[in-house]
Amino acid sequence: MTKAYDQTGAGATSAERGRSSRAKLLSAAVELIPEVGWNAVTTRLVASRAQVRPGLVHYHFDSLPALLRAAAATVLDDVLSGPLAALTAAPDPAEGVVAALREMDEYQGDDPASVLVTEAYLAATRDPELHAVMARIVVETRDAIAAWLRRHGTAQPEAAAELVCAFFDGVVLHRALGPVPPAEAYLEPLRRMLAAPTTEGDPR
């Protein structure tokens, strides 16, 4: 019988140890960005939090900014994937947006994930590579929403998808400043905004 080893233990291969170190560095960066701010994260700070040698930062990533970009992409993907899945599983557009908003209850604007994304948005204004990474994720999400709205017959689905994305951003930002209505309060306004066009003569 083959003995099982923890992949980070003595029996781990160099590739497994490398994957573990890389994951620890990403996790450390994800924790540190909202704690100290994007520009205050240093190689030594990340290495210390990850409990690895500082040189491993540049072994696994081209640079500290590359690590921070990877951390931002990881969190942004995670933040958007749950709401998108909830939205596209709903029976109609308005219900879908409300379901996505419920999925976003954990993001109150001042939580670590929300702060990290805000920090990354600001950093992207000065970092073209980060801008490209974040733009790709946001555009892919917006396109997926537009395609789903199109299947449900929503008029001008691309513009409607942009409004839905801006709505999500705005609600999370406003949560950090004060109370906002519960998700269900938006249902009827969303029904009017996202309804399929009526045909001529339809009493609706």
Side-chain angles (χ1 to χ4, degrees), residues 179-192:
V180 299
E184 291 72 19
Y186 300 105
L187 186 57
E188 288 310 313
L190 286 166
R191 285 197 195 285
R192 292 192 290 272

Side-chain angles (χ1 to χ4, degrees), residues 110-131:
D110 54 0
D111 61 281
S114 297
V115 174
L116 187 151
V117 172
T118 301
E119 289 273 345
Y121 267 111
L122 290 173
T125 63
R126 300 177 179 86
D127 181 344
E129 290 184 58
L130 176 62
H131 184 281

Side-chain angles (χ1 to χ4, degrees), residues 77-90 96 99-101 103-104 137 140-146 148 165 168:
D77 263 328
D78 187 54
V79 164
L80 295 177
S81 61
L84 180 61
L87 183 145
T88 54
L101 198 57
E103 189 73 19
M104 297 169 67
I137 296 170
E140 286 175 356
T141 301
R142 188 176 62 213
D143 287 349
I145 294 173
W148 183 74
C165 291
F168 290 148

Side-chain angles (χ1 to χ4, degrees), residues 162-204:
E162 180 64 36
L163 287 172
V164 167
C165 291
F167 169 67
F168 290 148
D169 285 345
V171 168
V172 173
L173 288 172
H174 285 200
R175 282 172 176 169
L177 300 174
V180 299
E184 291 72 19
Y186 300 105
L187 186 57
E188 288 310 313
L190 286 166
R191 285 197 195 285
R192 292 192 290 272
M193 184 180 84
L194 300 174
T198 58
T199 57
E200 187 175 350
D202 189 326
R204 293 180 297 173

